[in-house]
Amino acid sequence: MGKQKILITGGAGFIGSHVVRLFVNSYPEYEIYNLDKLTYAGNLENLKDVESKSNYRFIKGDIVDADFITNTFTENKFDGVIHLAAESHVDRSIKHPLDFVMTNVVGTVNLLNAARQNWENDMSGKRFYHVSTDEVYGSLHDDGFFLETTPYSPQSPYSASKASSDHFVRAYRNTYNLPVVISNCSNNYGPNQFPEKLIPLFINNIRNNKPLPVYGKGENVRDWLYVIDHARAIDRVYHHGREGETYNIGGFNEWKNIDLIKVVCKAMDKKLGRAAGESEKLITYVTDRAGHDLRYAIDSTKIMNELGWQPSLQFEEGIEKTIDWYLSNQQWLDDVTSGNYLHYYESMYVNR
Ligand code: NAD
Ligand code: TYD
């Protein structure tokens, strides 16, 4: 694709920071602009190792601010967008659904408008890549997988807002010929994930000898993918994905929550030199999440066959690396769990 300016939104977050790092390091000829509001989930510490690279710039800003987004786009003349900025946590969406409508729906439409306005006279070589989730497809029972053709059936305010944003992206292609591509990925895990999501929350709680709040009976199933494998998939879709297509990304790696939690507990006992079974004692069954989706499972055959992508890590290796990262970055964990986050944690679990 030659030299190009790419706007990555949400680059200070969990997945975004891995995408920014991969692009900055792999494509020195590109100019990578990371636009992020730095909400509780955004942390520039995640990008310390790339911040001084000459092909990287950071712009602090809110995608909900239409004028700011249009001006930033017009000023910088981006060739491509990789859009990851979002409110991303289901439990927060249950408490504050409107925040999700604003960032995930209105924010996405603001970006689409800015891209359309800037590109309408010449769409060649342009690309708007929307990063989405498998949760838009709803919840599976025991059998079957989500395919790219599975009808949307979002069940939580989070997934409804992401589904809505996906629909807007497709509508802008259909109506204005905007060159778009979308991917829908399963649950990610790995370094730099904010410890409100299952795996880093439980690693942190085990480290601090705090209860591990398992929702319901722990029987819900998720399909887990190592974050760097997702970033590699995003690289492939951005560069080689067919315009207008959707690609499902997943690890073919399904785990019942309680089984996954036991794997984490065992590994933590070993790492912390605790007696076998010590961490499992922290497991506490709590009231189930409202409308809790039973099972997600992605069929990623299309991206594997068409774009030659596949996960590079086995789950056991990925979990091991993940735990090692959190244990060797305890300052990062303490910094992000102090202050506001503690209040959030108290408000989420006070009645459980
Ligand atoms: P995250 O919550 O860790 O990071 C989100 C980032 O977006 C943060 O840096 C935050 O500051 C920024 N942001 C939030 N609101 C903003 C706004 N109004 N303006 C500008 N920036 C804003 O999320 P994540 O887990 O890294 O997810 C990134 C994307 O990938 C999301 O679109 C999410 O829906 C999608 N996704 C996530 C997963 C997962 O397992 N985490 C799986 C599939 C898809
Ligand atoms: P989460 O990491 O929030 O991802 P998502 O809801 O987007 O899949 O949760 C993963 C699974 O773990 C989900 O079934 C909910 C469950 N869970 C718990 O049992 N306890 C917790 O404290 C959290 C955060 C999640």
Side-chain angles (χ1 to χ4, degrees):
M1 281 190 180
K3 197 173 155 54
Q4 52 171 307
K5 273 192 182 182
I6 304 179
L7 171 66
I8 299 182
T9 69
F14 167 47
I15 301 170
S17 61
H18 289 281
V19 174
V20 166
R21 176 176 301 102
L22 183 67
F23 273 69
V24 166
N25 290 335
S26 308
Y27 304 104
E29 70 280 20
Y30 291 0
E31 287 174 51
I32 303 297
Y33 288 72
N34 168 18
L35 187 152
D36 199 296
K37 182 180 175 183
L38 300 181
T39 67
Y40 78 93
N43 186 348
L44 288 176
E45 279 297 310
N46 297 347
L47 289 167
K48 271 265 168 269
D49 55 324
V50 300
E51 68 184 11
S52 60
K53 301 260 166 117
S54 60
N55 61 340
Y56 171 74
R57 310 255 182 297
F58 174 67
I59 303 172
K60 185 173 186 311
D62 187 345
I63 58 170
V64 176
D65 182 342
D67 290 342
F68 167 76
I69 290 299
T70 305
N71 293 339
T72 304
F73 219 104
T74 309
E75 217 168 275
N76 292 292
K77 303 202 169 19
F78 299 117
D79 303 295
V81 177
I82 305 178
H83 174 37
L84 296 109
E87 287 292 337
S88 68
H89 189 41
V90 174
D91 293 331
R92 286 183 192 255
S93 83
I94 293 168
K95 292 216 155 182
H96 304 288
L98 202 54
D99 293 350
F100 286 66
V101 176
M102 294 313 291
T103 288
N104 299 1
V105 186
V106 177
T108 300
V109 175
N110 284 338
L111 285 161
L112 289 165
N113 282 337
R116 180 188 159 216
Q117 197 176 312
N118 274 271
W119 298 345
E120 65 190 344
N121 294 325
D122 182 12
M123 302 266 191
S124 63
K126 307 292 194 288
R127 169 147 282 198
F128 190 106
Y129 178 5
H130 179 60
V131 176
S132 193
T133 167
D134 62 354
E135 304 191 23
V136 299
Y137 298 119
S139 178
L140 292 165
H141 294 287
D142 293 340
D143 301 320
F145 293 92
F146 296 133
L147 293 164
E148 286 80 358
T149 49
T150 302
Y152 276 32
S153 179
Q155 303 290 321
S156 73
Y158 165 64
S159 54
S161 69
K162 290 297 289 187
S164 171
S165 63
D166 293 11
H167 288 319
F168 271 102
V169 172
R170 293 196 180 94
Y172 270 60
R173 175 169 189 266
N174 186 58
T175 312
Y176 310 111
N177 292 319
L178 199 75
V180 307
V181 67
I182 298 180
S183 61
N184 296 82
C185 189
S186 63
N187 286 58
N188 285 214
Y189 71 97
N192 304 99
Q193 186 169 30
F194 195 84
E196 63 184 350
K197 305 279 169 65
L198 181 72
I199 291 178
L201 176 71
F202 279 32
I203 292 172
N204 195 34
N205 284 12
I206 293 171
R207 171 173 85 100
N208 293 313
N209 265 311
K210 285 190 177 164
L212 306 176
V214 178
Y215 297 165
K217 294 185 178 142
E219 284 177 347
N220 305 68
V221 174
R222 297 292 183 263
D223 173 1
W224 294 92
L225 180 68
Y226 193 61
V227 63
I228 293 171
D229 281 328
H230 187 192
R232 289 174 46 251
I234 288 174
D235 183 353
R236 293 212 79 79
V237 172
Y238 182 77
H239 288 101
H240 306 289
R242 281 184 295 137
E243 200 265 300
E245 291 290 314
T246 295
Y247 294 89
N248 279 355
I249 306 168
F252 285 114
N253 178 44
E254 289 180 56
W255 286 83
K256 203 179 260 193
N257 287 343
I258 192 65
D259 295 338
L260 177 141
I261 289 160
K262 287 182 179 166
V263 168
V264 173
C265 286
K266 280 203 183 75
M268 287 292 286
D269 283 341
K270 275 204 194 117
K271 301 273 177 199
L272 297 173
R274 293 182 185 167
E278 202 60 29
S279 300
E280 276 190 30
K281 290 187 196 151
L282 297 168
I283 291 176
T284 312
Y285 290 92
V286 299
T287 313
D288 207 354
R289 172 186 280 172
H292 196 171
D293 287 341
L294 179 64
R295 173 171 169 258
Y296 305 142
I298 276 272
D299 183 334
S300 47
T301 309
K302 179 175 171 183
I303 188 173
M304 289 170 137
N305 288 348
E306 246 187 52
L307 305 183
W309 171 87
Q310 52 182 4
S312 67
L313 277 188
Q314 294 299 313
F315 186 63
E316 288 69 14
E317 197 186 345
I319 276 291
E320 183 96 358
K321 270 177 160 258
T322 301
I323 292 175
D324 286 345
W325 187 86
Y326 287 99
L327 293 181
S328 42
N329 288 275
Q330 303 201 20
Q331 191 60 48
W332 183 95
L333 267 174
D334 290 336
D335 288 348
V336 299
T337 50
S338 62
N340 282 344
Y341 178 65
L342 272 184
H343 300 307
Y344 162 77
Y345 186 90
E346 282 157 13
S347 77
M348 292 306 283
Y349 300 113
V350 72
N351 296 320
R352 290 184 167 158

